[in-house]
């Protein structure tokens, strides 16, 4: 956390270009949305919040924000403004913290003055969209958590130079190693400076390798911690925490990703495991007596084919009045994870399961998450069920919520469910083969499952239509799926496809989560754990609108519903160009902020901040995945307290209100009953029994769960990038088509369809390449000039070689060549890539373009992708034009 003092408006820098993306833009529209990463210059990421060595503790980072200002105004606008903010765990370039904790300032004295100052700043920024605010750091208030773990490579060459230039001093002091001898750590994150590591403080294993002249140590990934940064030093000082191994290998990279994000990789503690029931486990008779028995219902699960933690199941019944009773059954993890036990503390600390494409780090031990707590077919299981009566319009006209005993009759995959949705089954026909589908258990058969699934599907379509007509927004970004062989080695990538079976499950899970939020928030308005999604970053939303307008398309950003409807119209307009639609979706996603958990008591005076922007609902929480999310367990306990309070209250005043009335969990909440003396006593007693956290404790839990959620997402994204990089490394060259998003005299911005990402290709000052930029028509012409070589600032040796920007293929036999400015210097691909690459290129459907190349905005061009970094820097991939020419 730092204090900054903004410069006067005339000193603010001008933003370049019409579509510059600014990750540090403060926007406050009507003071309803504050993006903290704009106000403070902290380099916080999203995962490395605590050192893994501290994983046994239970301390959580405080995300409270505070703002202090000095304000000298001119004509009502700030001339100088100092702001102090604690960025906590919020920033990472394209991710924006949603400020749930920031609004705690509402309870502070002087809050209105603070918001006034911030509002004035934001109004000023919005008044001059072409200006970028500038300022200077005047104090470091609190050190950034990111300094706790920085991953990088040792700069052995720098150390050798330092040692050689200080030999005389070493001999003079009769020491082989100077006391001040140091080596640099080069962080893989370019936002960090080099870190000075004193050689005398290096781990013994590294010191020995350095002294023995082992240069390979430079290829190892190392984690370091910053200790201090003295004013007179250009670099901070630190010490090494851990050595992972070669940066070009998968396992060291995975270890570094987990370490950097403080992911707990250790086994569950003996204390936590002692809380588990003995196996073999059987359904306790007491639970069967105290719960509602729903084993007579046709209940089944729908999950990915590889899923082992089955935490939700569905059922449906047709009622005599024409309505449908939909059952949403969630595993009762709170039965096994009791409050204030060692297992509860460990689940709270882990907060979420972490998915790494080929591996899962579970929040709960496998005995619960994959066995007795998983809704596996053919066995009795404890569940938390919602029975929702829906009419033909998708309205919930009645509901029952409670603990149940269920037995799933079938485990369907999404593929099985989709097949049932798509087909008209004749179970007596010879075309139906039960062997192609999973076993149906109990007294049910396939006709029961198929009938139920089709009914659930029809109702889900009504729910979906109702949601989107009500203003919901969905942004379906292309999602890369890495394909692995039997040895776990990636061999290709594709895009995941969301099918109707996915949407079916999504609709019922959203309905259950919304219902849970409504119930707990009304019963416990000060201690409900909810989930909010703030409005988009308005500056980036305007940039997205401008991008659409530039290409002749209209994007109405006045609400989430209008954005969705606009995108649907754009999709129809671009039905013959799905790649361009994906590009627009990518741009529309950028302004969106992250959703986060919060304690309702923290926003008591700002209920308009509780809503979920994308879902367009006033209340939302997480209830449906207690095996992999700790907040769901907290919500389960709060729901249990609400149910128990209802029972206590009805026992006390049942004669007056009617024993069957559901005053706290039904569709009509009885506020008068809840505020009565009997009601308040019942709610208080139930909260105490089920350990509903206090507002202060819940705020800390919410902040910790937010931070762990972001860390888990960081790990998943980093693992995807790692495996894509490894795939490129294995195949050497991968060809793809790309669309040009931006053009200029020096470089082009492109969208690569194969990976659904953007990159740049530079063509200015490239040896043997001439770029002619026709600004009047926004046209670029690239030509081969074998003898081109001109002077450049810094010397001719600074020119890029042609192979940095272009992968050349010989038009005669499509052998790939590279050029060093002279025709007789052309080399066949054997010197650059392997036979595997030539085979891959020859088998590819991507054809090279020919020089001279003339392109405009949105032109499609072929590109070649290759892996960059690993042993000598951060993982990335390079992109070059894939071209052919007769003149090389």
């Amino acid at each position: 956390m730092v204090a900054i003092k903004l410069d006067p408006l005339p000193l603010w820098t001008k933003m370049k270009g019409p579509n510059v993306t600014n990750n540090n833009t403060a926007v406050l529209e009507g003071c309803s949305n504050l993006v903290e990463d704009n106000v403070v210059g902290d380099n916080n990421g999203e995962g490395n919040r605590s050192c893994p060595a501290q994983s046994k503790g239970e301390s959580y980072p405080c995300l409270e924000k505070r703002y202090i200002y000095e304000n000298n105004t001119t004509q009502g606008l700030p001339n100088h403004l100092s702001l102090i903010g604690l960025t906590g765990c919020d920033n990472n370039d394209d991710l924006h913290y949603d400020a749930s904790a920031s609004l705690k300032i509402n309870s502070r004295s002087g809050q209105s003055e603070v918001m006034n100052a911030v509002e004035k700043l934001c109004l000023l920024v919005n008044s001059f969209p072409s200006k970028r605010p500038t300022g200077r750091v005047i104090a470091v208030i609190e050190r950034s958590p990111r300094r706790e773990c920085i991953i990088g490579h040792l700069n052995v060459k720098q150390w050798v130079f330092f040692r050689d230039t200080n030999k005389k001093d070493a001999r003079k002091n009769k020491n082989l190693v100077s006391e001040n001898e140091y080596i640099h750590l080069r962080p893989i994150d370019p936002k960090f400076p080099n870190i000075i590591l004193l050689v005398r403080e290096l781990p013994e294993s590294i010191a020995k390798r350095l002294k023995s002249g082992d240069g390979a140590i430079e290829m190892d990934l190392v984690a370091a911690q910053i200790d201090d940064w003295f004013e007179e030093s250009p670099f901070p000082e630190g010490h090494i925490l851990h050595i992972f191994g070669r940066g070009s290998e998968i396992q060291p990279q995975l270890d570094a990703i987990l370490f950097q994000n403080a992911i707990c990789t250790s086994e569950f503690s003996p204390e936590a495991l002692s809380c588990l029931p003995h196996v073999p486990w059987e359904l306790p008779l007491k639970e069967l007596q105290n719960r509602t028995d729903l084993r007579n219902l046709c209940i089944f699960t729908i999950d990915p084919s590889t899923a082992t933690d089955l935490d939700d199941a569905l059922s449906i019944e047709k009622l005599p009045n024409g309505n449908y009773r939909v059952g949403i059954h969630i595993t009762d993890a709170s039965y096994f994870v009791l409050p204030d036990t060692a297992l509860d503390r460990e689940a709270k600390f882990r907060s979420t399961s972490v998915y790494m494409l080929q591996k899962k780090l579970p929040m709960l031990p496998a005995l619960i998450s994959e066995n007795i707590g998983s809704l596996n077919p053919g066995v009795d299981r404890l569940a938390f069920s919602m029975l929702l009566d829906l009419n033909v319009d998708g309205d919930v006209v009645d509901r029952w919520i409670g603990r149940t005993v269920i037995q799933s009759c079938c485990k369907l995959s999404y593929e099985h469910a989709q097949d049932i949705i798509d087909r008209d089954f004749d179970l007596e026909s010879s075309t139906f083969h039960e062997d192609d589908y999973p076993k149906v258990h109990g007294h049910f058969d396939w006709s029961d499952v198929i009938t139920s699934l089709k009914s659930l599907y029809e109702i889900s379509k009504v729910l979906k239509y109702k949601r989107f007509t009500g203003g919901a927004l969905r942004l379906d970004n292309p999602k890369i799926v890495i394909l692995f062989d039997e040895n776990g080695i990636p061999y290709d990538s594709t895009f995941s496809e969301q099918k109707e079976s996915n949407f079916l499950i999504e609709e019922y899970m959203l309905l259950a989560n919304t219902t849970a939020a409504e119930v707990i928030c009304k019963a416990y308005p000060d201690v409900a754990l909810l989930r909010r999604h703030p409005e988009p970053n308005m500056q980036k939303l305007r940039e997205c609108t401008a991008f659409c307008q530039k290409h002749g398309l209209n994007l109405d950003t006045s609400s989430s519903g209008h954005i969705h409807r606009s995108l649907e119209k754009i999709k129809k307009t671009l039905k013959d160009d799905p790649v361009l639609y994906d590009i627009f979706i990518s741009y529309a996603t950028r302004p969106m902020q992250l959703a986060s958990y919060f304690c309702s008591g923290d926003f008591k005076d700002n209920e308009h901040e509780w809503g979920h922007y994308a879902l367009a609902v006033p209340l939302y929480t997480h209830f449906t995945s207690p095996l992999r999310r700790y907040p769901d367990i907290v919500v389960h306990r709060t729901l249990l307290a609400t149910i128990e309070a209802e029972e206590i209250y009805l026992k006390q005043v049942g004669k007056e209100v009617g024993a069957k009335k559901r005053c706290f969990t039904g569709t009509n909440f009885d506020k008068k009953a809840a505020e009565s003396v009997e009601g308040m006593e019942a709610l208080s007693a139930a909260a105490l029994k089920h350990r509903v956290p206090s507002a202060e404790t819940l705020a800390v839990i919410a902040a910790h769960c937010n931070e762990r959620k972001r860390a888990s997402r960081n790990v998943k994204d980093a693992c995807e990038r790692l495996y894509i990089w490894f795939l490129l490394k294995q195949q050497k060259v991968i060809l793809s088509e790309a669309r040009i998003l931006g053009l200029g005299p020096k470089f082009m911005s492109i969208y690569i369809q194969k990976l659904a990402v953007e990159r740049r290709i530079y063509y200015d000052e490239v040896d043997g390449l001439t770029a002619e930029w026709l600004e009047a028509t926004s046209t670029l012409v690239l030509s081969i000039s074998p003898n081109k070589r001109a002077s450049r600032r810094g010397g001719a040796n600074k020119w890029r070689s042609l192979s940095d920007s272009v992968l050349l293929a010989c038009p005669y036999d499509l052998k790939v060549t590279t050029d060093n400015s002279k025709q007789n210097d052309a080399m066949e691909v054997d010197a650059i890539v392997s036979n595997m690459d030539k085979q891959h290129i020859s088998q590819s459907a991507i054809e090279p373009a020919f020089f001279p190349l003339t392109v405009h905005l949105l032109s499609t061009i072929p590109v070649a992708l290759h892996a960059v970094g690993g042993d000598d820097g951060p993982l990335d991939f390079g992109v070059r034009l894939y071209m052919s020419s007769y003149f090389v």
Side-chain angles (χ1 to χ4, degrees):
M1 179 173 66
V2 298
I4 63 172
K5 189 166 187 176
L6 292 179
D7 295 330
L9 177 61
L11 297 181
W12 289 11
T13 59
K14 185 176 181 180
M15 297 173 66
K16 299 179 180 178
N19 293 321
V20 173
T21 299
N22 179 11
N23 290 333
N24 295 312
T25 303
V27 179
L28 185 62
E29 297 287 339
C31 268
S32 64
N33 182 28
L34 180 61
V35 185
E36 286 90 4
D37 60 336
N38 318 318
V39 185
V40 278
D42 198 1
N43 285 327
N44 286 353
E46 296 186 336
N48 44 331
R49 305 298 169 231
S50 57
C51 179
Q54 299 172 344
S55 61
K56 294 184 179 180
E58 198 191 350
S59 61
Y60 305 114
C62 177
L63 293 186
E64 183 177 303
K65 312 272 194 304
R66 57 194 180 92
Y67 295 89
I68 304 172
Y69 76 99
E70 301 173 357
N71 160 10
N72 298 316
T73 60
T74 302
Q75 297 180 346
L77 292 175
N79 186 29
H80 293 280
L81 184 65
S82 290
L83 294 165
I84 299 177
L86 176 59
T87 57
C89 313
D90 46 11
N91 306 336
N92 187 15
D93 287 344
D94 56 343
L95 303 178
H96 299 274
Y97 183 71
D98 62 5
S100 64
S102 68
L103 294 175
K104 291 183 180 180
I105 60 176
N106 292 327
S107 62
R108 298 172 183 269
S109 62
Q111 162 264 334
S112 59
E113 295 180 4
V114 175
M115 295 303 290
N116 225 5
V118 176
E119 182 181 19
K120 289 178 180 178
L121 169 63
C122 296
L123 288 174
L124 184 60
V125 171
N126 291 334
S127 300
F128 299 92
S130 63
K131 290 275 192 175
R132 184 194 299 273
T134 60
R136 61 187 179 89
V137 176
I138 59 176
V140 177
I141 308 302
E142 185 175 324
R143 293 178 174 180
S144 166
R146 291 202 68 182
R147 64 190 287 138
E148 301 297 326
C149 179
I150 297 173
I151 308 297
H153 295 270
L154 295 176
N155 190 345
V156 176
K157 295 181 180 65
Q158 167 270 325
W159 169 74
V160 171
F161 176 80
F162 177 90
R163 182 191 57 184
D164 292 344
T165 56
N166 287 275
K167 280 184 178 180
K168 291 183 179 180
D169 290 338
R171 292 194 191 99
K172 186 175 181 181
N173 296 324
K174 297 183 180 180
N175 291 324
L176 292 176
V177 180
S178 168
E179 286 295 312
N180 295 322
E181 188 176 6
Y182 66 89
I183 187 170
H184 277 163
L185 177 84
R186 295 173 298 162
I188 59 175
D189 187 338
K191 293 191 293 290
F192 286 107
N194 287 349
I195 300 172
I196 295 174
L197 306 171
L198 294 177
V199 173
R200 68 174 184 269
E201 296 179 359
L202 292 177
E204 186 177 353
S205 59
I206 292 182
K208 284 183 177 179
R209 292 178 65 183
L210 280 177
K211 292 176 182 178
S212 66
D214 183 3
I217 194 174
E218 201 171 41
M219 301 179 185
D220 286 357
L221 279 177
V222 175
Q225 180 179 354
I226 294 178
D227 298 324
D228 214 334
W229 195 339
F230 302 104
E231 288 188 24
E232 63 275 8
S233 174
F235 303 113
E237 290 187 7
H239 68 277
I240 288 179
L241 297 172
H242 194 81
I243 309 166
F244 302 103
R246 288 285 295 270
S248 59
E249 298 175 0
I250 286 183
Q251 194 56 50
Q253 286 284 351
L254 290 174
D255 293 341
I257 290 169
L258 294 173
F259 192 89
Q260 186 177 29
N261 289 281
I263 302 297
C264 182
T265 58
S266 60
E267 298 294 329
F268 288 89
S269 67
E271 294 80 10
L273 295 176
S274 68
C275 300
L276 300 177
H278 297 291
V279 289
W281 179 83
E282 293 183 358
L283 182 72
L285 180 61
K286 181 181 177 181
E287 292 302 315
L288 185 57
Q289 294 171 343
N290 293 337
R291 293 170 178 255
T292 301
D293 191 347
L294 299 181
R295 291 177 293 179
N296 62 315
L297 296 180
C298 178
I299 299 174
F300 49 85
T301 60
I302 305 176
D303 289 279
S305 57
T306 57
T308 55
D309 48 352
L310 313 180
D311 45 18
D312 59 85
L314 296 174
S315 65
I316 189 168
E317 301 172 87
K318 182 74 175 289
L319 301 179
N321 61 4
N323 292 338
Y324 283 91
R325 177 165 294 165
V326 173
I328 305 172
H329 314 278
I330 309 301
T331 183
D332 192 358
S334 60
Y335 172 82
F336 300 104
V337 186
L338 298 177
D340 303 324
T341 60
L343 180 59
D344 180 52
R345 287 190 290 273
E346 189 146 353
K348 186 193 310 180
F349 175 76
R350 294 176 184 242
S351 181
T352 180
S353 294
V354 179
Y355 295 88
M356 303 168 60
L357 273 69
Q358 286 199 296
K359 182 181 179 182
K360 178 184 72 174
L361 297 174
M363 182 186 76
L364 295 173
L367 178 62
I368 295 178
S369 62
E370 299 181 7
N371 191 348
I372 60 177
S374 180
L375 303 182
N376 299 328
V379 290
D380 294 342
R381 288 292 181 256
L382 302 177
F384 209 141
S385 299
M386 289 184 179
L387 300 180
L388 309 177
D389 293 358
L390 285 84
N391 61 21
V392 292
D393 298 322
D395 300 320
V396 178
V397 296
D398 197 9
R399 69 185 178 215
W400 176 90
I401 304 173
R403 279 181 151 173
T404 58
V405 176
I406 69 168
Q407 184 178 126
S408 169
C409 69
C410 187
K411 177 189 175 183
L412 292 173
S413 67
Y414 283 119
E415 291 76 17
H416 291 135
Q418 189 61 46
D419 193 38
I420 293 172
I421 290 171
D422 292 339
R423 291 174 58 185
D424 292 326
F425 278 90
D426 181 1
L427 298 179
E428 304 299 326
S429 171
S430 59
T431 59
F432 179 78
H433 303 286
E434 286 196 26
D435 293 341
D436 297 336
Y437 294 89
K439 180 182 178 182
V440 177
H441 298 261
H443 59 279
F444 301 102
D445 55 34
W446 267 110
S447 63
D448 300 310
V449 175
I450 291 172
T451 302
S452 295
L453 181 59
K454 286 184 175 291
S455 297
L456 285 167
Y457 172 61
E458 292 302 321
I459 295 176
S460 74
K461 290 193 295 184
V462 176
L463 294 173
K464 184 179 179 181
Y465 175 80
K466 183 180 177 182
R467 271 201 317 115
F468 286 111
T469 54
L473 166 66
R474 184 181 186 88
L475 297 172
D476 286 318
N477 275 304
K479 293 180 176 61
I480 294 286
V481 176
I482 309 298
L483 304 178
F484 297 89
D485 62 20
E486 61 276 7
N487 299 316
I489 304 299
Y491 67 88
D492 201 357
S493 67
T494 185
F495 290 103
S496 65
E497 182 182 359
Q498 291 286 331
K499 298 184 178 180
E500 292 301 315
S501 56
N502 300 91
F503 296 130
L504 181 154
I505 292 297
E506 180 182 42
E507 288 304 322
Y508 292 112
M509 297 305 106
L510 291 175
L511 181 60
N513 288 334
T514 306
T515 302
E518 179 186 338
V519 172
I520 65 174
C521 191
K522 289 182 176 179
Y524 294 99
D526 293 335
V527 290
L529 182 60
L530 302 177
R531 188 163 176 82
R532 64 184 294 268
H533 182 218
E535 293 183 354
N537 181 314
M538 303 309 292
Q539 172 71 21
K540 292 192 173 184
L541 203 56
R542 283 192 291 269
E543 292 170 1
C544 177
T545 303
F547 179 79
C548 291
Q549 290 175 344
K550 182 178 179 180
H551 297 288
L553 298 167
N554 180 54
L555 181 65
D556 184 350
T557 61
S558 57
S559 69
S560 56
H562 284 103
I563 292 176
H564 180 79
R565 285 187 283 275
S566 295
L567 290 173
E568 287 297 303
K569 291 180 181 178
I570 292 174
K571 187 175 184 178
K572 290 180 181 178
T573 303
L574 301 177
K575 62 179 183 294
D576 297 325
D577 194 352
V579 174
L580 184 55
Y581 177 71
D582 288 342
I583 293 172
F584 283 117
I585 288 292
S586 174
Y587 271 78
T589 303
R590 295 177 187 181
M592 300 302 159
Q593 303 189 74
L594 292 180
S596 68
Y597 301 106
F598 70 100
C599 171
S600 57
D602 285 351
F603 285 67
K604 192 173 183 180
D605 299 326
N606 296 276
E607 292 190 13
H608 63 281
E609 302 280 353
W610 293 17
H612 197 291
Y613 179 81
L615 297 177
V617 292
L619 297 172
Y620 192 69
T621 192
H622 276 163
F623 162 76
T624 56
S625 297
L627 294 179
R628 58 184 177 89
R629 291 189 306 227
Y630 187 76
D632 300 55
I633 293 178
V634 175
V635 170
H636 278 220
R637 291 171 182 164
T638 312
L639 271 175
L640 288 172
T642 305
I643 294 168
E644 178 125 350
E646 185 178 69
E647 293 174 353
I648 295 172
Y649 176 78
L650 291 177
K651 283 181 181 179
Q652 292 178 347
V653 295
K655 293 181 180 179
E656 299 177 17
V657 300
K660 293 185 178 181
K661 182 177 180 181
R662 291 188 287 276
C663 53
F664 297 157
T665 63
T667 53
N668 297 312
F669 181 78
D670 192 338
K671 187 176 181 182
K672 184 177 179 181
E675 293 177 348
S676 67
V677 174
E678 296 86 356
M680 289 191 292
E681 288 179 350
L683 288 165
S684 178
L688 186 64
K689 176 180 177 181
H690 292 280
R691 301 290 199 279
V692 176
S694 66
E696 293 77 11
T697 302
L698 193 59
V700 174
I701 292 174
H704 176 68
C705 290
N706 286 332
E707 185 269 321
R708 289 292 86 200
K709 174 74 173 177
R710 286 190 293 272
S712 174
R713 178 172 175 169
N714 284 346
V715 169
K716 184 175 181 295
D717 292 345
C719 287
E720 286 182 357
R721 289 193 298 269
L722 169 62
Y723 282 113
I724 289 173
W725 176 87
F726 191 78
L727 178 64
L728 288 169
K729 181 189 173 189
Q730 291 288 99
Q731 299 192 10
K732 308 298 184 183
V733 173
I734 292 181
L735 303 178
S736 173
E737 288 188 333
R739 297 293 287 273
I740 297 177
L741 302 182
L743 270 177
K746 295 185 177 182
F747 65 86
M748 66 175 69
S749 298
I750 62 173
Y751 177 84
I752 303 168
Q753 296 166 214
K754 179 74 174 177
L755 302 180
V757 295
E758 289 184 32
R759 281 296 188 272
R760 287 181 177 180
I761 296 178
Y762 290 86
Y763 37 74
D764 67 316
E765 298 177 324
V766 173
D767 226 1
L769 188 65
T770 298
E772 184 181 359
W773 171 243
L774 307 176
E775 189 162 358
T777 57
S778 296
T779 303
L780 176 72
V781 180
L782 293 177
S783 306
I784 284 289
S785 300
N787 298 318
K788 176 193 170 186
R789 171 70 69 99
S791 61
R792 177 183 177 182
R793 293 187 301 273
N797 62 331
K798 295 295 184 180
W799 279 70
R800 298 183 185 91
S801 68
L802 183 62
S803 60
D804 290 340
S805 299
V806 179
L807 183 63
L808 276 175
C810 177
Y812 301 110
D813 53 8
L814 278 185
K815 287 186 176 180
V816 181
T817 63
T818 185
D819 177 73
N820 287 326
S821 82
K822 293 183 180 180
Q823 181 176 355
N824 57 3
D825 289 334
M827 298 178 297
E828 289 192 354
V829 71
D830 305 74
I832 310 170
V833 293
S834 66
N835 289 327
M836 182 193 308
D837 310 321
K838 291 189 289 185
Q839 182 181 5
H840 182 86
I841 290 172
S842 63
Q843 292 176 350
S844 173
I846 306 296
E847 296 291 337
F850 280 79
F851 284 117
L853 176 67
T854 302
V855 293
H856 305 85
L857 207 60
L858 296 183
S859 293
T860 299
I861 57 173
V863 295
L865 313 174
H866 62 278
V868 175
D871 285 337
D872 56 352
L875 304 184
D876 201 355
F877 65 87
V879 56
R880 295 173 288 174
L881 295 170
Y882 178 41
M883 304 295 297
S884 183
S885 175
Y886 289 95
F887 301 103
V888 293

